[in-house]
Amino acid sequence: MRRTDNGTEPTAAPAGRSPEDGLLPELSLYERLIGNGTAAADARGRPVDHVTARRLAIWLAARPQAPVFAQGLVRFAQTGAISPALKTQLRIHARTGNYPDHWQAARLLHYCAGRGTDVRPIGENFGAACDQIDRADLMLSDLHDRARHGRALPEQAWPEIEGPRPVALAGRNPDSQTVTLVLDATTASIAIFAIAAHADEREAHLREVERFGQSLPEGSYGQRNRQAIAARETRVAARLRAVEHAYRMAIEREDVFRPPESNRACRSPEYAADREIELG
């Protein structure tokens, strides 16, 4: 197998951008996000989370890699699936100190070891969902940088006597027709409560319309009209519930990925890489 084949291969190109829904940040910005994610993982004594692992895979795939390694990285960035070939290549890069991406490979291998036997795809929309998280995290990072360097936006009067000003930022991607919102935890909780309440109202209206429609003559204009209204209410309620579900998944993200206690005690990614090789 050729190991000097590099980024000119078409398999390596997609992961540099991971074009799930349009252009993504530069790799230097990914490095900043990776640094934040690995620091948080070290503070907890655990492997990096799914999102940081995907950022590591994107960073690795953007560098010259063997085709089999690039393919495994691209598949993981798109779906979260861990192939045997990917784990093998990560072991090679993590074990051999003369690879320039030794540290990143060791961190990603540590994550793979934490997944254990669960190497299946995380979800159909894993890549697109992570893209949105990347953009939101970068917006927050930019906000923190502005405040740290005295370039924060002018303060606006906040009508409440107690409590901090809300954080509410929005970004629109015209290519993918998506909007990313960044809210502080309190504002997000209030917004989701309102969204869930509105979904309840829509679903209640849907049930009323369906009940009334069943009492109308079969095939009549009134029944068809109620069916159209019910279909519209179903679509709106489904979108509202999707937002609520995404929020619940985000705040519970740390609870979803809990590696065994033996992995928590292993703080060094290099040590974890060696242990993974021995077990393999």
Side-chain angles (χ1 to χ4, degrees), residues 37-56:
T38 54
D42 289 343
R44 298 190 303 267
R46 292 162 52 183
V48 296
D49 59 20
H50 298 316
V51 177
T52 303
R54 180 177 182 267
R55 292 165 181 168
L56 285 164

Side-chain angles (χ1 to χ4, degrees), residues 132-217:
Q132 294 299 312
I133 294 173
D134 289 346
R135 293 191 181 94
D137 283 352
L138 284 171
M139 290 172 67
L140 279 174
S141 179
D142 182 64
L143 181 65
H144 293 158
D145 286 345
R146 285 175 173 272
R148 190 161 45 243
H149 295 93
R151 295 183 289 110
L153 296 175
E155 290 283 335
Q156 297 180 355
W158 177 234
E160 293 184 3
I161 297 175
E162 297 180 356
R165 290 182 61 248
V167 174
L169 303 174
R172 180 177 180 272
N173 187 325
D175 296 327
S176 61
Q177 293 296 301
T178 58
V179 176
T180 301
L181 294 175
V182 177
L183 307 173
D184 65 88
T186 302
T187 303
S189 178
I190 295 170
I192 292 300
F193 180 82
I195 288 172
H198 189 47
D200 289 340
E201 294 177 0
R202 290 281 187 168
E203 289 166 349
H205 184 219
L206 167 63
R207 290 190 293 269
E208 291 179 4
V209 170
E210 287 179 333
R211 279 197 301 267
F212 184 72
Q214 291 172 358
S215 66
L216 297 175

